[in-house]
Amino acid sequence: MYEERPARLDGAVVWSIGPSPVGEESVPVLPDGCMDLLWHDGRLFVAGPDTCAYVPEGGPGRYAGLRFAPGDAPALLGVPASALRDRRVDLGALWGEARARRLAERVAAAPDLAGALEALAVDRAMDAPATDPLIRAVAMRLAAGRPVAETADAVGLGARQLHRRSLDAFGYGPKTLARILRLQRALALVRAGVPYAEAALRAGCADQAHLARETRALAGTTLSAYASDWAKRETPQPSGSSTTA
């Protein structure tokens, strides 16, 4: 079962997933503009920013994760987001194998895996540079549906400067980030039962066909398939059954 709660780091979320039933397929992870620090099967690793749907390959077992707000992870991890785009990387490759192994053992020994992972990130954040307020402003404006050009003007950056800084902070340029955040807004409305055409317009798409193309391109599925799969996950299943993601 998936559970999440706000983390002690501003804008971050702590989450956990219990062991999956035998035969249950992995649920694709859709792009959301975020990066995660994860623990699974005694291993700590980082999920970089995705540009398309990712199907987990870690197998059964328990997962714990901390999802950073868009743009926050690079300062804490010490690596540009673009270096981790569409990648899952062992923490040892970033912080050193011995240190990563000690931290993974500390998390594994804790009664609350997610809480231990959060504490690890909080400790690291005390010594890491703070996120640039300008980057936070960019993320907030794009998440609210403001145009890229207007966002550049509002934060006082030229188009090239905004693109370069976005690559470091988010893993891709501002136009790609805006598309991903727009899709997330639309899918949240779909999950709430809003008709597709209305969800498209409210999220900032030109029309339903535009949203359908973006869903296919970024999520690798169709609107109807996404809504159907979400309904299956939200509907209690008889004992011994599983849902298909």
Side-chain angles (χ1 to χ4, degrees):
M1 181 177 65
Y2 177 84
E3 297 180 339
E4 69 174 43
R5 62 171 174 79
R8 285 182 282 160
L9 294 176
D10 187 27
V13 172
V14 177
W15 58 268
S16 62
I17 301 177
S20 301
V22 175
E24 181 171 307
E25 296 182 16
S26 297
V27 176
V29 178
L30 303 189
D32 58 7
C34 300
M35 296 172 60
D36 290 58
L37 176 64
L38 305 102
W39 180 95
H40 172 62
D41 195 23
R43 167 187 168 221
L44 283 170
F45 61 104
V46 176
D50 291 321
T51 58
C52 57
Y54 172 81
V55 179
E57 300 175 348
R62 299 176 64 191
Y63 284 81
L66 188 141
R67 183 176 306 112
F68 297 95
D72 281 7
L76 187 143
L77 296 173
V79 61
S82 57
L84 302 178
R85 184 174 56 239
D86 292 322
R87 299 177 63 197
R88 270 61 184 164
V89 177
D90 281 324
L91 188 63
L94 306 180
W95 291 3
E97 296 295 342
R99 182 183 183 191
R101 184 169 54 252
R102 289 195 303 270
L103 293 173
E105 291 171 351
R106 181 195 307 175
V107 173
D112 177 7
L113 294 174
L117 192 64
E118 177 186 27
L120 183 162
V122 169
D123 288 346
R124 171 72 176 186
M126 294 177 64
D127 298 322
T131 301
D132 187 344
L134 183 147
I135 290 299
R136 286 182 178 259
V138 169
M140 290 178 63
R141 293 187 68 86
L142 294 181
R146 307 312 305 168
V148 171
E150 178 186 305
T151 296
D153 289 341
V155 300
L157 291 178
R160 290 185 179 180
Q161 287 179 306
L162 177 59
H163 187 82
R164 176 178 54 80
R165 296 183 69 161
S166 293
L167 288 177
D168 289 343
F170 308 118
Y172 23 63
K175 291 184 179 179
T176 298
L177 177 61
R179 288 178 63 203
I180 288 170
L181 296 178
R182 181 179 60 198
L183 178 64
Q184 287 290 339
R185 292 195 301 274
L187 295 182
L189 292 169
V190 169
R191 294 196 298 270
V194 176
Y196 299 158
E198 181 181 347
L201 294 176
R202 287 172 57 179
C205 294
D207 51 27
Q208 182 176 331
H210 182 194
L211 174 57
R213 291 193 299 271
E214 291 291 85
T215 303
R216 173 66 75 180
L218 296 172
T221 187
T222 64
L223 282 168
S224 58
Y226 176 84
S228 176
D229 288 346
W230 179 262
K232 290 177 183 177
R233 292 200 297 271
E234 290 294 290
T235 302
Q237 301 294 310
S239 177
S241 69
S242 65
T243 58
T244 301

